[in-house]
Amino acid sequence: MTLTTNTRIWKALHNEGANLSLIKSVLQANSEDTEHSTSSRTWGNNVTDIIRSTNLNSSQESAILSCLETRSFSEKTSVKLIWGPPGTGKTKTVATLLFALLNLGCKTVVCAPTNTAVVGVASRLLALIKESCSSDHSTYGLGNIVLAGNRVRMGIDSKNNNLLDVFLDHRIGKLSKLSVSLTGWELSLSSVIDFLEKAESNYKTYVLSSERKKKMFYGSSQDELDKKKEKILTFGEFIKKEFHNLSQELVKKMDLMVDTYTHLPKSFISSNDVKNIISARQALHHARAFLKKNSSRHDFEIRRFVFECLQPLRLLPKCFRIPTLLETEDGMRFCLQNACIIFCTASGASQMSAERTGPIEMLVVDEAAQLKECESVAALQLQGLRHVVLIGDELQLPAMVQSEVCEKAKFGRSLFERLVLLGHNKHLLDVQYRMHPSISLFPNMEFYDGKISDAAIVKESVYQKRFLQGNMFGSFSFINVGLGKEEFGDGNSPKNMVEVAVISEIISNLFKVSSETKTKMSVGVISPYKGQIRAIQERVGDKYNSVSDHLFTLNVRSVDGFQGGEEDVIIISTVRSNGNGKIGFLSNRQRANVALTRAKHCLWVVGNQRTLTMSGSVWTKLIRESKRRGCFYDAVDDKNLRDAMNDAMLKVDMSDVYSSFQSLSMRRGRMNAW
């Protein structure tokens, strides 16, 4: 969290003139003021078509309709909680809700804890819009969407055209240029239309003028006559020359029209105007190409050419309502006040004053369970705000809190979690589309009381992948590294080099299979400890990142860095290896939940069975479950892994480990831990 964010939070908490009506009402137990039942109200064909076209399941559809229904209660405040466990299509549900709100013209601010999360949900909405629109004018209507924030932190560059089209600073710049560039539009348009309407008479005038010039040179010497006389152009050549000169400026302005209907709100330019702009632009380019190819033909036919070009030009508006934006603040106010959907970080909502945006009807907070209560305050104070939708899962990672004092004081608790504790209803998204059933079974029962069902797609036989040979590498397995050593470095974050060796060997084998079989494969390695993450990254280097065919990708990150992510194969390194069952914050259930729910096809947990069993944590239950299901394996049973372990133990001082674990036998000059 930056100083800017903290400053905004402080000001929001001490804002005496703030709108506190919603804050006061939501911080109560479940009441009539904040919860309403969903009626059978119809929302019109557009919204119904949106919901149907996205193939939502019943829990997703019900969640969206419940949120839309709150708009019927304009005199009351409302808060809706959408509970989105891993893989249940939370982002898709949010994007569909926003698409519906956009079509309904509901002024909405969309927040998330981080710039990355904001960009994620904005990208998903833009993808939905693109899928539903004609390819000819897929950017029409984007003027009603604004993405506000730090361009660098959001990772927006020239490659992200879709995001640039809605990014606030970029839009202000485009609109400022448009107001200047489209000056003289009416004159350019009328000149081309007038020429085409009078093409034949214009040619006659040109011929008469040329013949007069010839007569003026009568009696002159032959040399002078040859120099001064001009060849009279054919009808086609004349049309080509004059049309090219007249239309050149209009073509430039027509090309700018893409920016016009992309960045102007729909209230400033109609869909009919957009269709006419596209038709006229195509007609102009076609006409210039046609004349270039056919103007010298003796049978050149002007009437058809004029008709095909003239008709779309006549339908164009004579002028456009493009605002003159003299100052940046003017541009910001224009864009925000005319936007229907505004994306920003939660702290960025403090910049959305009533003077800039106008009244806000609804607030949608994505990843709400990762947003501290104090960070929610600025967004909840938006002027005119009556309805709030919070989407998240309090059983996954909360906001990051560095201080133990703050953690004990529940500083990291989210508004989402508080409302759940106060008894507010959560609308559960109850179908998961990510994990093979062998992977989802344990977290579903352990964290969600078996409330989540597996989608049909993950139950199909083709969803089960065998990337490596052997039962050890099935859809789910616990791979026991019976002897390793947890080492604490300068940063007091442990690492286990024996586990590093095992994981490195598995990655190498996966890469080999991917290269030989040309199989696309994404692999993720997760560990709760930064020390282990660094050790694995140093071991594998950038060998797998430099592969040009992109068939194989590798991500090595902490649990916190993996929230919201997914890969084909996930390898979890639990690191801890001791004789007393101490595992530190590895025992955190929220971290365990995130780590265990990132894999699509294969999840392999690498750890010390004895240490984890003695911990009395969720990992104890996982080992018991893996044994019950026949998914428990010893790493030493695989020759490649055994050799990798033995090599690693030669480089690690194991003397203090021997007394805690079983004795070692020497075999072929190597230490063997079995």
Side-chain angles (χ1 to χ4, degrees):
M1 189 183 291
T2 64
L3 181 60
T4 300
T5 301
N6 280 318
T7 302
R8 289 172 177 174
I9 292 171
W10 178 263
K11 288 180 178 178
L13 289 170
H14 295 81
N15 184 1
E16 294 180 359
N19 170 25
L20 299 177
S21 59
L22 188 59
I23 294 177
K24 289 178 179 178
S25 67
V26 299
L27 296 181
Q28 301 171 14
N30 199 3
S31 67
E32 291 182 1
D33 287 338
T34 56
E35 290 288 334
H36 307 289
S37 59
T38 305
S39 73
S40 58
R41 173 174 175 175
T42 56
W43 300 101
N45 292 334
N46 281 352
V47 173
T48 303
D49 289 345
I50 287 170
I51 294 174
R52 287 175 179 170
S53 66
T54 49
N55 297 315
L56 300 171
N57 63 49
S58 59
S59 67
Q60 293 169 329
E61 184 173 326
S62 178
I64 290 172
L65 293 176
S66 177
C67 296
L68 296 179
E69 182 63 26
T70 60
R71 299 187 70 224
S72 304
F73 305 96
S74 56
E75 300 303 317
K76 295 184 178 182
T77 56
S78 70
V79 177
K80 293 289 183 182
L81 306 184
I82 298 179
W83 186 15
T88 54
K90 176 180 62 66
T91 305
K92 178 181 180 180
T93 303
V94 177
T96 307
L97 170 63
L98 295 178
F99 198 7
L101 291 171
L102 178 65
N103 276 268
L104 290 170
C106 177
K107 184 98 174 183
T108 303
V109 169
V110 186
C111 293
T114 63
N115 286 295
T116 302
V118 172
V119 166
V121 70
S123 298
R124 193 61 182 264
L125 173 61
L126 295 177
L128 262 184
I129 293 171
K130 189 174 182 178
E131 289 170 11
S132 65
C133 295
S134 165
S135 58
D136 289 335
H137 52 93
S138 60
T139 60
Y140 174 58
L142 295 187
N144 290 75
I145 303 171
V146 167
L147 173 60
N150 186 299
R151 180 168 178 170
V152 175
R153 288 180 186 154
M154 287 183 165
I156 298 173
D157 53 34
S158 56
K159 297 177 183 177
N160 302 324
N161 287 331
N162 287 346
L163 290 172
L164 264 181
D165 285 339
V166 298
F167 188 64
L168 179 59
D169 295 348
H170 180 73
R171 174 165 296 161
I172 293 170
K174 283 287 186 181
L175 290 176
S176 298
K177 291 177 182 178
L178 277 174
S179 60
V180 176
S181 300
L182 290 180
T183 302
W185 160 260
E186 185 177 2
L187 178 62
S188 297
L189 178 63
S190 59
S191 298
V192 174
I193 290 175
D194 184 67
F195 171 75
L196 290 173
E197 288 178 335
K198 301 173 182 177
E200 293 184 79
S201 61
N202 285 335
Y203 181 65
K204 290 178 182 177
T205 302
Y206 157 74
V207 171
L208 288 172
S209 175
S210 297
E211 288 178 345
R212 281 197 208 100
K213 287 179 181 178
K214 275 188 177 181
K215 291 178 181 178
M216 289 174 60
F217 298 128
Y218 182 75
S220 301
S221 67
Q222 188 62 42
D223 289 340
E224 287 181 335
L225 191 61
D226 288 340
K227 289 177 183 178
K228 294 179 180 180
K229 74 176 179 180
E230 296 178 3
K231 174 193 171 185
I232 298 178
L233 301 175
T234 65
F235 187 32
E237 290 169 341
F238 170 76
I239 295 296
K240 175 188 172 183
K241 178 183 176 183
E242 294 300 313
F243 182 80
H244 177 81
N245 293 336
L246 285 171
S247 66
Q248 195 164 8
E249 186 63 28
L250 184 61
V251 167
K252 290 180 182 177
K253 295 184 186 300
M254 288 293 288
D255 289 342
L256 287 172
M257 284 299 163
V258 177
D259 285 339
T260 304
Y261 63 72
T262 295
H263 294 288
L264 277 180
K266 281 187 173 182
S267 58
F268 280 72
I269 184 168
S270 70
S271 59
N272 196 49
D273 283 343
V274 173
K275 290 177 182 177
N276 291 336
I277 288 169
I278 292 169
S279 296
R281 186 166 174 255
Q282 290 173 342
L284 274 178
H285 285 288
H286 175 73
R288 288 162 69 90
F290 175 82
L291 287 173
K292 185 177 181 180
K293 184 178 180 180
N294 298 286
S295 60
S296 57
R297 292 177 53 149
H298 69 279
D299 58 347
F300 177 76
E301 177 54 55
I302 185 62
R303 285 183 174 82
R304 184 178 176 184
F305 166 76
V306 168
F307 175 79
E308 289 179 354
C309 190
L310 195 56
Q311 189 178 28
L313 291 177
R314 283 173 174 162
L315 296 175
L316 288 174
K318 298 296 184 291
C319 62
F320 294 94
R321 289 195 299 146
I322 299 176
T324 302
L325 307 177
L326 302 177
E327 302 290 341
T328 300
E329 182 63 29
D330 294 334
M332 185 179 293
R333 190 179 296 113
F334 171 81
C335 293
L336 293 175
Q337 287 183 354
N338 287 284
C340 181
I341 305 290
I342 301 172
F343 290 96
C344 61
T345 59
S347 67
S350 63
Q351 307 301 300
M352 303 298 161
S353 62
E355 293 75 23
R356 279 183 174 176
T357 66
I360 303 297
E361 183 178 347
M362 187 173 288
L363 170 68
V364 176
V365 183
D366 193 23
E367 303 291 359
Q370 284 191 282
L371 186 68
K372 299 181 185 76
E373 284 182 285
C374 59
E375 290 182 272
S376 306
V377 173
L380 291 171
Q381 291 177 356
L382 291 167
Q383 290 298 316
L385 183 64
R386 305 296 298 172
H387 309 295
V388 179
V389 179
L390 304 178
I391 305 101
D393 179 12
E394 79 280 16
L395 299 183
Q396 295 186 67
L397 287 178
M400 178 69 75
V401 176
Q402 302 289 350
S403 165
E404 288 185 13
V405 175
C406 289
E407 189 167 351
K408 288 179 181 178
K410 301 294 183 183
F411 181 68
R413 182 168 57 190
S414 66
L415 179 61
F416 189 99
E417 184 179 354
R418 178 187 281 274
L419 293 178
V420 171
L421 294 172
L422 286 172
H424 283 252
N425 293 328
K426 296 186 293 184
H427 192 108
L428 175 65
L429 305 181
D430 59 11
V431 182
Q432 75 86 14
Y433 298 84
R434 174 186 298 158
M435 297 165 274
H436 185 274
S438 297
I439 301 170
S440 66
L441 180 60
F442 178 78
N444 183 23
M445 298 304 297
E446 178 64 24
F447 304 112
Y448 301 100
D449 299 324
K451 294 176 181 177
I452 313 299
S453 60
D454 297 315
I457 187 172
V458 301
K459 292 190 286 188
E460 293 177 1
S461 59
V462 294
Y463 204 80
Q464 184 173 22
K465 307 287 186 182
R466 283 278 182 173
F467 295 110
L468 295 178
Q469 294 297 316
N471 293 332
M472 185 181 296
F473 304 106
S475 297
F476 168 73
S477 62
F478 184 92
I479 302 174
N480 177 38
V481 177
L483 189 62
K485 181 180 180 180
E486 55 182 43
E487 302 175 81
F488 291 84
D490 296 335
N492 292 322
S493 181
K495 65 180 179 179
N496 186 325
M497 295 309 294
V498 180
E499 283 191 18
V500 170
V502 168
I503 289 167
S504 177
E505 180 65 23
I506 294 173
I507 294 170
S508 177
N509 293 336
L510 286 169
F511 177 69
K512 183 179 179 182
V513 169
S514 174
S515 301
E516 290 177 353
T517 62
K518 301 300 180 184
T519 301
K520 194 169 185 180
M521 195 185 304
S522 63
V523 179
V525 179
I526 303 177
S527 179
Y529 299 105
K530 292 180 180 178
Q532 187 75 344
I533 293 298
R534 284 194 296 269
I536 295 170
Q537 289 173 337
E538 288 171 4
R539 178 68 177 261
V540 300
D542 60 356
K543 177 170 61 173
Y544 306 113
N545 295 328
S546 58
V547 181
S548 59
D549 57 13
H550 302 294
L551 282 175
F552 186 88
T553 59
L554 175 66
N555 280 309
V556 182
R557 285 183 280 171
S558 66
V559 178
D560 303 71
F562 244 109
Q563 176 140 324
E566 63 179 26
E567 305 290 356
D568 294 331
V569 179
I570 289 289
I571 307 168
I572 300 175
S573 178
T574 57
V575 181
R576 304 309 296 264
S577 181
N578 56 63
N580 51 32
K582 291 183 179 180
I583 63 171
F585 78 165
L586 177 63
S587 61
N588 183 286
R589 289 176 60 81
Q590 291 165 305
R591 277 192 166 78
N593 185 12
V594 172
L596 293 169
T597 54
R598 301 303 101 196
K600 294 168 65 178
H601 306 294
C602 295
L603 172 65
W604 305 326
V605 182
V606 177
N608 186 302
Q609 171 210 230
R610 182 176 176 182
T611 301
L612 298 179
T613 299
M614 292 174 63
S615 70
S617 67
V618 64
W619 300 100
T620 305
K621 298 178 183 179
L622 179 74
I623 291 172
R624 188 185 306 135
E625 176 70 9
S626 64
K627 287 182 176 179
R628 186 187 67 80
R629 291 164 52 185
C631 301
F632 181 92
Y633 301 93
D634 283 302
V636 294
D637 291 339
D638 181 277
K639 183 182 181 304
N640 292 333
L641 299 187
R642 182 170 64 247
D643 291 344
M645 291 167 63
N646 286 332
D647 285 339
M649 286 191 289
L650 285 171
K651 301 172 185 176
V652 175
D653 180 8
M654 304 292 290
S655 58
D656 59 338
V657 181
Y658 299 156
S659 59
S660 300
F661 293 104
Q662 60 192 18
S663 62
L664 299 176
S665 62
M666 301 300 293
R667 194 174 294 181
R668 294 185 184 177
R670 295 188 175 198
M671 291 181 293
N672 294 280
W674 58 87

